[in-house]
Amino acid sequence: MTKTEYLAELDRYLHRLPKADYEEAIEYFTEYFEEAGPEHEQEIMAELGSPREAASDLIVRLLDEGDELAYVSPKKQHNLVKIALIGLLAAPMAIPLLVTLLALVFTIVILAGAMIFTVAVIGFALFGSSVFMIVDGLSYVTSGLWTAFLGTGTGLLFLGVGILLLIASWEIAKMAGQTIISLSKWVLKRR
């Protein structure tokens, strides 16, 4: 089939359109062939499909989109169908993966919170027991100097470690909070 025969048959199918749409469609197809050149006419006809297919595609597009003339080749339509099918087939897998990812993030946040809480509780316990150890160590001054030094030194050690653990838990909590805020901003920016 030649370009002239193709356009003549296409013209016959497009006569159902309103006059403005008909003229615009014929002009579009004529220019499309002219831009491609005579050496690419067969490729264009293969891309568009039969004149009947090209006309019905165009009519459907005009009905869907109102007055706009938009033509999508059958090849592009086929690709759109493939993308839609991939999306539909991927949805059953994407939902469980999303739930798993959210559960993993939730678990990490809970574990981090539990670790911070544990370190803080140990810090408070050491801080509280250090007061008892210092008072107890000082009570042994009359019975033995070395025992008093050992009890008081252990109490001071507990006091230092307890304060360090409280400071560490506070700093870790601040870092975790800043990380969560940064990740939230990043996620909201990406949507």
Side-chain angles (χ1 to χ4, degrees):
M1 178 180 283
T2 66
K3 173 184 101 170
T4 309
E5 293 170 340
Y6 189 91
L7 289 174
E9 195 170 332
L10 186 65
D11 181 75
R12 192 168 46 102
Y13 290 118
L14 292 177
H15 265 294
R16 293 184 253 165
L17 292 174
K19 185 174 181 169
D21 290 336
Y22 164 77
E23 289 172 357
E24 197 172 337
I26 292 298
E27 182 181 331
Y28 169 79
F29 284 108
T30 305
E31 286 179 10
Y32 195 56
F33 274 102
E34 288 173 1
E35 287 177 7
E39 62 275 359
H40 297 291
E41 286 177 1
Q42 294 302 318
E43 293 172 23
I44 298 293
M45 285 186 251
E47 179 185 333
L48 295 173
S50 71
R52 183 182 191 132
E53 290 172 348
S56 67
D57 286 346
L58 181 65
I59 291 169
V60 168
R61 296 253 179 258
L62 286 173
L63 289 174
D64 287 344
E65 298 175 5
D67 293 329
E68 292 183 30
L69 179 64
Y71 179 78
V72 176
S73 69
K75 191 175 192 178
K76 288 181 182 176
Q77 286 177 350
H78 184 60
N79 288 340
L80 290 175
V81 170
K82 282 182 185 177
I83 291 170
L85 282 174
I86 289 171
L88 286 173
L89 294 175
M93 289 177 52
I95 294 170
L97 286 175
L98 180 64
V99 169
T100 303
L101 180 65
L102 290 175
L104 180 65
V105 168
F106 181 72
T107 303
I108 290 170
V109 168
I110 294 296
L111 283 174
M115 285 175 38
I116 292 168
F117 179 74
T118 303
V119 169
V121 166
I122 292 171
F124 277 120
L126 287 174
F127 185 77
S129 64
S130 70
V131 173
F132 172 75
M133 293 292 289
I134 291 171
V135 171
D136 189 47
L138 292 175
S139 70
Y140 287 116
V141 168
T142 55
S143 50
L145 194 57
W146 293 112
T147 307
F149 283 150
L150 180 65
T152 307
T154 304
L156 290 173
L157 176 68
F158 282 6
L159 178 67
V161 172
I163 290 172
L164 284 175
L165 287 176
L166 288 173
I167 291 171
S169 66
W170 176 253
E171 290 300 319
I172 291 170
K174 278 188 352 187
M175 246 182 6
Q178 289 171 350
T179 303
I180 289 171
I181 290 170
S182 297
L183 284 174
S184 299
K185 286 180 181 177
W186 180 77
V187 167
L188 289 175
K189 189 188 258 186
R190 294 269 189 169
R191 291 193 185 217

